[in-house]
Amino acid sequence: MVVLAASIVGKSGKVLVSRQYVDMSRIRIEGLLAAFPKLVGMGKQHTYIETENVRYVYQPIEVLFLLLVTTKQSNILEDLDTLRMLSKLVPEYSMSLDEEGINRAAFELIFAFDEVISLGHKESVTVAQVKQYCEMESHEEKLHKLVMQSKINDTKDVMKRKANEIDKSKIDKTRGGDKGGLSSMSSLGSGFNDSSISHGRGSSFGSGSMLGMISDVEPISTKAKDRSRSSVTAPPKSSGMKLGKSGKNQLMESLKAEGEDIIEDVKPSSQTRTAVAPPTDPFTLTVEEKLNVALRRDGGISSFDMQGTLSLQILNQDDGFVQVQIETGGNPEILFKTHPNINRELFNSESILGLKRPDQPFPTGQGGDGVGLLRWRMQRADESMVPLTINCWPSVSGNETYVSIEYEASSMFDLTNVIISVPLPALREAPMVKQCDGDWRYDSRNSVLEWSILLIDNSNRSGSMEFVVPPVDSSVFFPISVQFAATNTYSGLKVTGMIPLRGGGGGVTPRFVQRTQLVAQNYEVV
């Protein structure tokens, strides 16, 4: 099997891309490709055409022809296998199968053809391997560029330092030649100044009698000080590649130049650490429920698990002798479990959370959300109790896949900061979004389309988004991950008051604040 050339031509005979794998003149290949449309136009349906010297093996691609020119002795079965492989590669590199799209991806197509055909013979590769070979990056090349850039920066530093030294020497010569007597006298005056400062004695002679002389040379001395200061603060010469901040910055710049989205790490400053205000109320109680849900793509719930906690944070140690009065929503599917140090009988009878030993206070300084008092769990629910359901409908039409995604939110919860992440096939450009209720963003690094809705309440319990991508299998768009938060919970747990055990509060309930949230920890449509 010998492939003479692999080409993409128009139906009018215009050559868009052609790669030759044997030595032949330009006149010959142009003549062979120019004769092909005339042979096809004879009204017969073939996958190949034979002439006296060569064989044409071709496949129509919309308004184009993917063409292999081979010898007549070549194995046509292997030629057809090679043609099928090339037909799979063309849509991977060309977003549109027309003249403009082929011209835009001409070099990428030639490189891909070279991975499939070597010296006229087919290589045993797959589409994924060809894409990997063509996109492979060289770590050694990046390292070499960083080393070269580091050497260039070192050379610039040496150049600046030498320039500062030359300027300083010129200034010293100017001061010594043009104003010899004046410079010596000013030096003498400065000598008196230095001695008077160092010994702590009277400095009226040094600073007073030489004042006029020093003022005459002040512009030159000031300039010399500024230049000498710049030479001192210049960075020292370094050898080789720096493995610190400069090397990291060079790597970041090179990745940004290649089109990567770089999220740089920011060290927390003092302002960042103080952004979250410490608690000011004597008691802070946090009710948090975390959802782990897997929904089926064709409807129904695959798994459901809700875990909740009640935590107490006390500001002062003296206020630790208290009990917490709570109310629950009465959901029979929720099972509550108290901390081992909590009096469970008191909780079961009066819904009061207190220590088994009332003479001991609740601990303080736990950090985070404080000390845990109560846990609960819910593992059974029907689809009507799920906060958010997602329906994804991909459909292939021609050379495009139309994807329609809908969400429906339960009236039980008002959701905030909703982000629906849909995985996509590897795309060179962002998908074409035709309609979106909310905002969207394409993460090219992870091939994920993020659909975000700031708030879902009674005004927008349902919404949809439609976008178009190249033809792919429907399983590519799963699993869909969802993130959201809510201020109401399944348990409906509320703290009604704090009961002091010491200090004689006089019937006044101590001041407290309650924080309640429901978060989606692992929420997917599989």
Side-chain angles (χ1 to χ4, degrees):
M1 165 187 160
V2 176
V3 177
L4 302 181
S7 309
I8 300 177
V9 298
K11 291 188 176 181
S12 62
K14 182 178 181 180
V15 181
L16 304 180
V17 174
S18 181
R19 178 72 168 116
Q20 289 69 250
Y21 296 98
V22 295
D23 292 334
M24 64 173 60
S25 63
R26 178 177 177 179
I27 296 176
R28 186 188 177 197
I29 186 63
E30 287 180 349
L32 292 173
L33 296 178
F36 171 71
K38 301 176 183 178
L39 299 174
V40 175
M42 296 174 64
K44 297 181 180 180
Q45 296 294 330
H46 297 286
T47 56
Y48 71 94
I49 299 173
E50 289 188 357
T51 63
E52 295 180 358
N53 300 320
V54 297
R55 177 190 295 138
Y56 297 98
V57 185
Y58 66 94
Q59 177 178 336
I61 305 179
E62 293 190 0
V63 296
L64 306 175
F65 283 110
L66 177 62
L67 175 65
L68 291 182
V69 182
T70 69
T71 60
K72 295 184 67 175
Q73 294 77 22
S74 177
N75 189 335
I76 191 167
L77 295 179
E78 294 184 0
D79 294 339
L80 291 174
D81 187 39
T82 305
L83 188 65
R84 282 193 294 269
M85 175 61 70
L86 296 183
S87 65
K88 295 178 182 178
L89 288 174
V90 172
E92 292 289 338
Y93 290 95
S94 178
M95 298 299 295
S96 59
L97 298 179
D98 53 11
E99 182 176 345
E100 182 180 358
I102 297 298
N103 290 333
R104 189 180 303 166
F107 287 102
E108 289 81 359
L109 290 172
I110 290 175
F111 295 151
F113 287 179
D114 286 347
E115 296 295 336
V116 178
I117 304 173
S118 177
L119 299 177
H121 299 276
K122 182 180 181 299
E123 297 288 340
S124 179
V125 292
T126 62
V127 175
Q129 288 175 336
V130 172
K131 294 181 65 176
Q132 181 181 4
Y133 296 157
C134 293
E135 298 175 359
M136 187 171 292
E137 299 178 354
S138 173
H139 176 71
E140 289 77 8
E141 180 183 0
K142 290 184 178 181
L143 186 62
H144 174 72
K145 290 181 179 179
L146 290 177
V147 172
M148 293 301 297
Q149 187 62 39
S150 179
K151 291 181 179 180
I152 292 173
N153 294 338
D154 294 341
T155 305
K156 290 181 180 179
D157 294 340
V158 174
M159 180 182 65
K160 291 180 182 179
R161 188 163 57 252
K162 292 295 184 181
N164 291 330
E165 292 177 357
I166 293 173
D167 291 342
K168 183 179 179 181
S169 62
K170 288 181 179 180
I171 293 173
D172 293 339
K173 289 180 181 179
T174 303
R175 292 177 59 188
D178 296 342
K179 298 181 180 292
L182 186 60
S183 301
S184 60
M185 294 181 69
S186 63
S187 301
L188 181 61
S190 62
F192 277 104
N193 287 333
D194 295 340
S195 62
S196 62
I197 292 173
S198 60
H199 294 289
R201 295 172 184 172
S203 58
S204 59
F205 176 76
S207 60
S209 60
M210 310 307 293
L211 183 59
M213 304 177 192
I214 295 176
S215 62
D216 292 338
V217 296
E218 183 176 0
I220 299 178
S221 62
T222 304
K223 186 176 182 181
K225 288 180 180 179
D226 293 339
R227 295 197 176 185
S228 62
R229 185 182 296 111
S230 65
S231 64
V232 172
T233 58
K237 178 181 178 182
S238 61
S239 59
M241 183 183 68
K242 297 180 180 178
L243 298 179
K245 184 177 180 180
S246 62
K248 181 178 179 181
N249 290 339
Q250 294 296 333
L251 180 58
M252 292 297 182
E253 293 297 332
S254 63
L255 292 177
K256 287 180 180 178
E258 296 175 3
E260 296 288 347
D261 296 333
I262 304 300
I263 302 177
E264 299 182 356
D265 295 334
V266 180
K267 294 184 178 180
S269 60
S270 58
Q271 296 180 354
T272 304
R273 287 192 295 267
T274 58
V276 180
T280 57
D281 295 285
F283 303 98
T284 302
L285 294 109
T286 303
V287 178
E288 183 180 37
E289 291 184 353
K290 296 181 180 180
L291 274 178
N292 293 275
V293 178
L295 302 175
R296 297 189 185 96
R297 65 184 72 177
D298 55 353
I301 301 177
S302 177
S303 64
F304 181 93
D305 183 34
M306 182 276 294
Q307 298 183 13
T309 58
L310 171 63
S311 302
L312 170 65
Q313 189 173 9
I314 301 176
L315 189 62
N316 300 318
Q317 180 68 38
D318 297 337
D319 298 333
F321 297 94
V322 292
Q323 293 178 340
V324 182
Q325 180 74 55
I326 66 172
E327 288 183 359
T328 60
N331 191 336
E333 300 292 338
I334 297 179
L335 302 177
F336 290 92
K337 186 176 182 180
T338 59
H339 190 277
N341 293 333
I342 298 296
N343 190 338
R344 185 167 182 82
E345 295 181 357
L346 182 63
F347 169 73
N348 293 332
S349 60
E350 303 181 26
S351 297
I352 295 177
L353 295 172
L355 293 175
K356 292 180 179 179
R357 298 181 59 181
D359 57 336
Q360 290 185 351
F362 280 104
T364 59
Q366 295 293 318
D369 293 331
V371 59
L373 303 181
L374 186 66
R375 292 181 180 177
W376 57 94
R377 192 168 188 176
M378 177 179 173
Q379 293 183 302
R380 291 190 302 174
D382 54 17
E383 195 170 1
S384 63
M385 299 183 63
V386 174
L388 194 68
T389 57
I390 307 293
N391 295 320
C392 180
W393 300 89
S395 60
V396 179
S397 176
N399 292 320
E400 293 180 334
T401 300
Y402 292 83
V403 183
S404 177
I405 300 180
E406 299 176 340
Y407 75 82
E408 292 185 5
S410 172
S411 59
M412 297 171 55
F413 304 94
D414 290 342
L415 308 181
T416 60
N417 300 325
V418 181
I419 299 177
I420 303 172
S421 302
V422 184
L424 299 181
L427 302 176
R428 302 178 62 184
E429 297 179 357
M432 182 187 302
V433 178
K434 293 191 173 182
Q435 186 268 335
C436 179
D437 295 335
D439 299 325
W440 65 274
R441 185 182 75 89
Y442 176 58
D443 184 359
S444 60
R445 187 177 185 87
N446 299 316
S447 295
V448 173
L449 181 62
E450 294 183 352
W451 178 18
S452 59
I453 305 99
L454 187 62
L455 174 64
I456 296 179
D457 54 10
N458 291 328
S459 63
N460 58 344
R461 290 295 178 188
S462 61
S464 62
M465 178 176 67
E466 296 181 0
F467 60 91
V468 181
V469 295
V472 292
D473 188 72
S474 60
S475 61
V476 173
F477 305 104
F478 296 93
I480 300 174
S481 61
V482 185
Q483 301 176 17
F484 59 81
T487 56
N488 46 350
T489 59
Y490 281 96
S491 63
L493 189 145
K494 296 181 180 179
V495 179
T496 59
M498 305 294 295
I499 304 174
L501 300 179
R502 290 187 181 182
V508 178
T509 302
R511 185 165 53 93
F512 67 92
V513 62
Q514 177 179 346
R515 299 172 181 172
T516 304
Q517 66 174 351
L518 171 71
V519 295
Q521 187 176 35
N522 188 11
Y523 201 101
E524 291 183 339
V525 180
V526 297

